[in-house]
Amino acid sequence: MVKQRTLRTGVDSRRHLQLPRPLIPMTRAVTRKRVPGDIQRVVVIGAGLSGLAAACRLRASGLEVTLVEAADAVGGRCRTETLESKHGSFEADTGATVLTMPSLVESMVHSLGQHMPESWKPQRLSPAYHAQFASGRQINVFGDSARMCSEISRFAREKFADEGGSAVAQRERALISGYERHRSWSQEMFTASYENFLAADFDSLIDLIATPASSSDLLRLLGLGAFGRLGPSTRRHLGDEELEKLFTFQALYAGESPASALAVYSVISHMDTAMGVYYPQHSIGEAAEVMADALRAAGAKVRLNTPVKSLQISGDRILGVELEDGEYLAADAVVATPDLPIIDKLAGKRQRTKRARPLPVRWSPSAVVIHGTVPSEVAQGWEAQFHHTISFGEEWEQIFKEITAVKGKGQLMSAPSLLITRPAVSAPSRRRTSKEGVVYEPISILAPTPNLHSAAIDWPRITDRYVAELLTEMENRGWEGLSDHLSIGRVDTPATWERKHGYGAGTPFSLAHSLFQTGPFRPRNTRAYGLENLVLAGSGTTPGVGVPTVLLSGALAARRITGGGVR
């Protein structure tokens, strides 16, 4: 249970609210350096989750905060957009579709001395995922341990039915025991890594052992095998290739294959499969919108349609930010959240320091995402009636080799594994009616691909053909009528990610979390480009990629400026 405390904010010292303790321990003793100087005015560039989180923490500390966003809405890579298909307009979650640890969003709003709006009612998806295997077997993933054991029991009885009698019972017990062992292990990994690894930034390697708490956690992580490999560790627990996929596919979020990802990234799987996957009442974009509303209410400036042209620099300090329309915003400090190539351009001729970007750079795989609509009558005929369905291809290790290959060696998945998202299953408000009276709903289909550095694919030329191939494959897997009835509103590819958003190597998943691009080796959030009052936040810096992680990144960036919690 989360303890309660009385919180006094710098925004309005007359307010006393009983609110949950922030999930990032912003007031614990740390050795991290603070941005020098008297900081009163801060400009935050980018209103994605990390920028919003940083702005919340900075405003809660009593600073003057201006948040500027080039797009016409907040959210960044966690945004819900209105698109058009032949059926009519529809809302699509065009970035993240999986929300874990929603209490982090609540923590940001609470830091401003505000309650969450009544409309904020994130629902825990049950199941978190539905999985389809190439064998034809299926399984649901539940966060509740007892329910998951029951589901594994059913799965085992069906899978090993031909063995008969006591052999089936033995298999069943072994799988349940393996799952319980893996769940306990990943829970311990999460507990040991959260405060001093996941919710942490670094000035040097020494920070791993700079305090008694961090030293203790590091020893605990070593004992758990955190710096071994995720795939083999999970295999030792579960002993079943299909179940193993459920608890290792999240390595893709870290830009690695399960065979090469560090075992510590079992924490990503743990957040999904044990702590729970959530979804707001209507759309994923609500997570960003509630923070933006709280910021406005707290007196911060949130400016949309406001692209930044450059940083105005004198010596080793930023004096302000020049906007595209010529307006100048003076700043004592700047928090920059865009992808690293975009910040490169803003900084002009200054080069990123080695501590800001380890070499050589490795980017995560990218993805093709199809956003469209289908008549609800067609969708209701599918066997998979779930918010999230993972359809696994047959060649598991091979497809990771294909999409994570080194420069020039990548290729499209030979046996695609796909994530299919149907938000209307849990948010019926997403259904609409066309002019012809047809009720339709959104669907998104994500297919991982190599990034632009890994494979020189001519995406403008092949996109239509590749989409047709994916839809045919889905038809063969039971999604009948999809090819004939899907009306596509937009297709995002590595080429569009790069052209429209400036993402490095055309991937929305930023830098891969390889050994030398993780923890203290990841691009640090201070002194980038040698500028003492520029702080980075977002997926390209510490702690890394993912919805919970970028929220933590924003809070850590704010701590670099404020030196602690609210004041």
Side-chain angles (χ1 to χ4, degrees):
M1 180 177 294
V2 179
K3 296 180 180 180
Q4 302 290 311
R5 69 168 182 164
T6 300
L7 175 67
R8 182 188 295 269
T9 77
V11 176
D12 185 348
S13 61
R14 296 169 299 177
R15 300 183 67 185
H16 293 73
L17 303 178
Q18 290 293 318
L19 302 172
R21 186 181 298 276
L23 293 184
I24 177 171
M26 299 297 292
T27 56
R28 76 171 185 268
V30 292
T31 60
R32 313 306 189 261
K33 295 177 181 178
R34 177 177 175 176
V35 171
D38 180 22
I39 310 296
Q40 296 298 325
R41 299 167 299 180
V42 183
V43 173
V44 180
I45 303 173
L49 294 186
S50 61
L52 289 162
C56 285
R57 291 290 186 180
L58 291 165
R59 182 61 189 144
S61 194
L63 301 182
E64 179 184 326
V65 177
T66 301
L67 176 60
V68 293
E69 168 59 49
D72 60 1
V74 299
R77 285 175 249 204
C78 188
R79 182 180 171 188
T80 302
E81 299 181 59
T82 300
L83 305 178
E84 292 287 335
S85 74
K86 292 180 181 178
H87 295 120
S89 64
F90 68 102
E91 290 174 294
D93 298 326
T94 53
T97 62
V98 175
L99 176 63
T100 54
M101 297 181 69
S103 47
L104 283 175
V105 174
E106 295 158 12
S107 174
M108 302 306 165
V109 174
H110 292 156
S111 72
L112 293 166
Q114 299 180 32
H115 289 294
M116 298 298 293
E118 291 185 4
S119 60
W120 175 256
K121 297 177 181 178
Q123 52 187 313
R124 182 166 180 167
L125 300 184
S126 185
Y129 299 99
H130 173 73
Q132 301 174 332
F133 299 109
S135 65
R137 285 181 285 271
Q138 303 183 28
I139 191 170
N140 292 324
V141 178
F142 296 100
D144 177 76
S145 178
R147 195 167 183 186
M148 191 64 212
C149 286
S150 177
E151 182 71 359
I152 290 174
S153 176
R154 178 201 60 77
F155 177 81
R157 289 195 300 270
E158 291 182 3
K159 183 170 185 175
F160 304 111
D162 292 343
E163 297 185 12
S166 59
V168 176
Q170 184 176 357
R171 292 273 203 172
E172 181 182 344
R173 288 192 298 271
L175 289 188
I176 292 173
S177 175
Y179 162 72
E180 292 176 330
R181 187 163 56 250
H182 181 76
R183 183 184 176 106
S184 176
W185 174 75
S186 60
Q187 170 66 66
E188 286 190 63
M189 193 79 75
F190 181 86
T191 303
S193 64
Y194 186 76
E195 286 196 0
N196 293 299
F197 193 81
L198 287 180
D201 51 8
F202 299 90
D203 287 326
S204 71
L205 275 170
I206 296 175
D207 289 323
L208 286 171
I209 55 172
T211 67
S214 61
S215 298
S216 175
D217 285 345
L218 181 60
L219 289 173
R220 190 176 174 192
L221 287 171
L222 289 169
L224 290 168
F227 305 105
R229 300 300 166 182
L230 178 61
S233 297
T234 305
R235 189 174 303 121
R236 284 194 294 271
H237 296 149
L238 298 172
D240 182 273
E241 290 185 0
E242 290 180 322
L243 291 185
E244 180 186 333
K245 294 178 182 180
L246 297 180
F247 301 97
T248 61
F249 80 86
Q250 298 87 351
L252 182 62
Y253 300 156
E256 294 283 290
S257 71
S260 61
L262 295 175
V264 71
Y265 287 113
S266 64
V267 298
I268 305 176
S269 169
H270 180 71
M271 287 187 281
D272 276 3
T273 63
M275 298 175 68
V277 171
Y278 292 80
Y279 196 75
Q281 288 292 96
H282 181 74
S283 68
I284 198 74
E286 293 175 50
E289 291 161 7
V290 295
M291 287 193 286
D293 288 343
L295 277 167
R296 294 184 183 101
K301 297 176 183 177
V302 180
R303 299 180 55 177
L304 305 176
N305 297 302
T306 308
V308 173
K309 180 179 180 180
S310 65
L311 304 176
Q312 297 300 299
I313 300 168
S314 176
D316 60 358
R317 290 188 72 86
I318 298 172
L319 302 180
V321 171
E322 183 183 0
L323 305 180
E324 286 285 1
D325 63 5
E327 183 181 355
Y328 176 75
L329 302 177
D332 301 315
V334 171
V335 177
T337 71
D339 231 29
L340 292 176
I342 299 175
I343 304 176
D344 286 348
K345 294 178 182 178
L346 295 179
K349 296 180 179 180
R350 300 185 72 97
Q351 297 295 313
R352 263 180 269 159
T353 61
K354 288 185 179 180
R355 61 190 283 173
R357 177 171 124 175
L359 297 176
V361 163
R362 281 195 56 221
W363 297 94
S364 295
S366 186
V368 164
V369 187
I370 306 165
H371 298 292
T373 57
V374 290
S376 294
E377 183 179 9
V378 172
Q380 287 165 6
W382 297 330
E383 183 178 359
Q385 296 295 315
F386 304 96
H387 191 119
H388 294 297
T389 298
I390 305 172
S391 182
F392 289 108
E394 187 171 5
E395 300 296 332
W396 182 241
E397 293 185 2
Q398 177 62 26
I399 65 171
F400 275 101
K401 291 178 181 178
E402 292 165 348
I403 63 175
T404 64
V406 297
K407 187 173 183 178
K409 301 294 185 180
Q411 58 186 13
L412 297 175
M413 292 182 291
S414 52
S417 288
L418 308 170
L419 171 64
I420 301 99
T421 303
R422 293 179 54 202
V425 171
S426 54
S429 59
R430 296 289 284 278
R431 295 191 178 97
R432 295 187 177 181
T433 304
S434 71
K435 293 179 180 179
E436 295 74 27
V438 176
V439 177
Y440 62 95
E441 62 183 68
I443 183 172
S444 296
I445 303 158
L446 184 150
T449 69
N451 63 49
L452 295 177
H453 289 183
S454 176
I457 296 171
D458 186 353
W459 284 106
R461 182 177 64 84
I462 74 154
T463 295
D464 289 346
R465 185 172 74 249
Y466 186 56
V467 167
E469 291 176 0
L470 291 176
L471 297 182
T472 299
E473 181 66 23
M474 288 185 65
E475 290 265 4
N476 295 336
R477 298 183 188 185
W479 301 79
E480 296 179 0
L482 185 61
S483 294
D484 291 337
H485 296 282
L486 173 68
S487 179
I488 296 175
R490 192 172 89 193
V491 179
D492 289 320
T493 71
T496 61
W497 296 123
E498 181 184 54
R499 185 179 72 254
K500 293 181 179 179
H501 304 286
Y503 296 156
T507 172
F509 304 112
S510 195
L511 297 179
H513 286 261
S514 56
L515 175 60
F516 292 106
Q517 290 185 171
T518 195
F521 299 109
R522 199 158 180 84
R524 295 174 194 162
N525 59 1
T526 57
R527 296 292 298 177
Y529 311 89
L531 297 169
E532 62 181 15
N533 62 338
L534 173 65
V535 186
L536 305 185
S539 18
T541 184
T542 50
V545 180
V547 171
T549 323
V550 294
L551 286 165
L552 295 170
S553 176
L556 291 165
R559 188 174 67 183
R560 288 288 191 174
I561 295 170
T562 65
V566 295
R567 65 184 182 190

